[in-house]
Amino acid sequence: MALVLVADDDADIRDLVTFKLEGLGLETISVEDGETALAAIRERRPAIAILDIAMPGLSGIDVCRMIRADPAIADTLVLLLTARVQEQDVERGFAVGADDYVTKPFSPRELVSRVQTLLSRTRA
């Protein structure tokens, strides 16, 4: 069973995403800020980290950059889940190493589909 980290400072978003992923049979870790997310990634090594960009402390962009710079966790897949929808925001997300970018408001079904697609890449 794959482990997925969900990091968002909005408890409702965290709960929704966690609920949908656990419905797929995935194990989840739910955290509310970037520092806790990075610590959990280093300790638990999830297959995917779903990161909100706008979190207190370290942003999702910061966390993604740190993941890619650390050889021990650099293979963690990163999906940015954010309200930032401008083209330059999306480009910046991919430039720091995100594997996917989903904007809020989002379709839970689409998010689940994207997570499944990312996971299928790791098994291939």
Side-chain angles (χ1 to χ4, degrees):
M1 171 180 0
L3 178 62
V4 180
L5 175 124
V6 179
D8 198 305
D9 58 333
D10 183 323
D12 292 334
I13 298 284
R14 278 195 321 271
D15 292 347
L16 173 63
V17 173
T18 298
F19 175 77
K20 290 295 187 181
L21 295 175
E22 288 176 351
L24 288 177
L26 299 172
E27 182 183 355
T28 62
I29 306 166
S30 179
V31 300
E32 63 186 31
D33 62 66
E35 290 90 356
T36 308
L38 190 58
I41 291 164
R42 287 181 170 143
E43 181 181 327
R44 303 279 311 275
R45 304 275 163 78
I48 300 176
I50 299 175
L51 306 172
D52 180 21
I53 288 182
M55 291 186 288
L58 292 176
S59 72
I61 294 287
D62 295 331
V63 174
C64 185
R65 188 180 293 116
M66 294 168 125
I67 289 169
R68 295 298 176 240
D70 184 340
I73 57 174
D75 62 344
T76 304
L77 297 168
V78 175
L79 185 151
L80 295 174
L81 179 63
T82 181
R84 298 199 177 179
V85 298
Q86 298 297 318
E87 185 176 347
Q88 65 266 25
D89 295 319
V90 177
E91 288 173 356
R92 184 172 177 220
F94 285 117
V96 297
D99 296 287
D100 205 349
Y101 195 103
V102 175
T103 58
K104 298 174 186 174
F106 63 96
S107 157
R109 182 177 293 153
E110 179 185 358
L111 180 67
V112 164
S113 176
R114 293 204 186 194
V115 167
Q116 289 174 314
T117 299
L118 287 173
L119 285 172
S120 71
R121 276 201 238 161
T122 63
R123 294 185 196 126

